[in-house]
Amino acid sequence: MNTVVADITYRAMLGRKRIWLLVLLPVALVAIAALLRLIGGSDEHTAVLLMKTFAIGTMLPLLGLIAGTGVIAPEIEDGTIIHLLAKPISRPVIAVTKFIVAASLVAVFAAVPTFIAAYLLIRDESGVAYGFTLGALFGGVAYAAVFLLLGVITRHAVTVGVIYALVWEGLVGGYVPGARKFSIQQWAQSIADQVSSSPFFKTDVSLGFAVPAMIIVTLGALLWAGTRLRSLSITGDD
């Protein structure tokens, strides 16, 4: 990891309009939880449904997309990445640094609000808050790596990422049984299910499959991103 690159990336991410997108979704989640608590709808089933459909099913992939593509795709699009590639810094180090920044942003803006919202609803009942927090954390890391890779290999990373998140993760991975094994969202839910003992929440993908798959996808995406950065010409052509 290169601390200078990390510092520049953090300042760029937190200083753009993109920060409002990172903040909006978590605030909406906590606000919904607070409203449900206020009107007396804070039962365990409601909490699980909110965490599964909104926190993991909607907020997590979108935050992963915003952070993962945001740390590198804009630099490639406007050509400023060339200045970084011209420095005596290893391309894989650049990829890893960008990934760490993206993953940490997802952890802060996804995992933390997930815990706050779930705990606000039902405290530590059935381990729902802890389970979905861990699921959001590890799922967010995988999303950060995948969307970082998209930011490196295509200039249409956001468009491709939205299609992936909505079509594959939201529709195919959510409703087609055989495809669930290849969905980051389902892997995150498997981790949540392992920690939670709620009778209202069960997953189809085993933890024994989800964890290795998550590790392979994360490492594979990072290796591919580092390799792809090696092929970028400092003249701006790829």
Side-chain angles (χ1 to χ4, degrees), residues 15-191:
R16 296 172 179 167
K17 293 180 180 179
R18 190 175 282 104
I19 182 64
W20 294 109
L21 295 176
L22 289 170
V23 170
L24 183 61
L25 289 168
V27 168
L29 174 63
V30 175
I32 292 172
L35 179 61
L36 289 172
R37 182 78 181 182
L38 184 64
I39 63 177
S42 55
D43 59 276
E44 186 174 329
H45 179 265
T46 300
V48 169
L49 184 62
L50 179 63
M51 294 301 104
K52 182 178 178 181
T53 58
F54 190 92
I56 300 294
T58 302
M59 182 181 73
L60 185 62
L62 289 179
L63 288 178
L65 173 63
I66 295 167
T69 59
V71 294
I72 197 166
E75 297 179 35
I76 294 178
E77 290 174 4
D78 62 23
T80 56
I81 189 71
I82 302 306
H83 301 292
L84 178 59
L85 298 179
K87 304 293 183 182
I89 305 174
S90 168
R91 306 293 173 89
V93 169
I94 294 175
V96 170
T97 302
K98 297 285 189 179
F99 161 71
I100 291 174
V101 172
S104 63
L105 289 174
V106 177
V108 171
F109 289 101
V112 174
T114 294
F115 178 80
I116 293 174
Y119 194 82
L120 182 63
L121 282 171
I122 55 173
R123 299 296 186 265
D124 57 355
E125 186 176 337
S126 300
V128 170
Y130 301 108
F132 278 98
T133 298
L134 284 177
L137 177 61
F138 288 103
V141 169
Y143 275 127
V146 169
F147 289 126
L148 170 70
L149 173 62
L150 282 180
V152 174
I153 64 177
T154 176
R155 293 182 180 274
H156 306 287
V158 175
T159 302
V160 175
V162 169
I163 294 174
Y164 167 80
L166 294 179
V167 177
W168 182 260
E169 293 286 330
L171 296 178
V172 180
Y175 297 100
V176 180
R180 290 175 184 169
K181 282 192 172 183
F182 306 100
S183 167
I184 296 176
Q185 179 185 144
Q186 297 298 319
W187 301 340
Q189 289 185 21
S190 294
I191 294 176

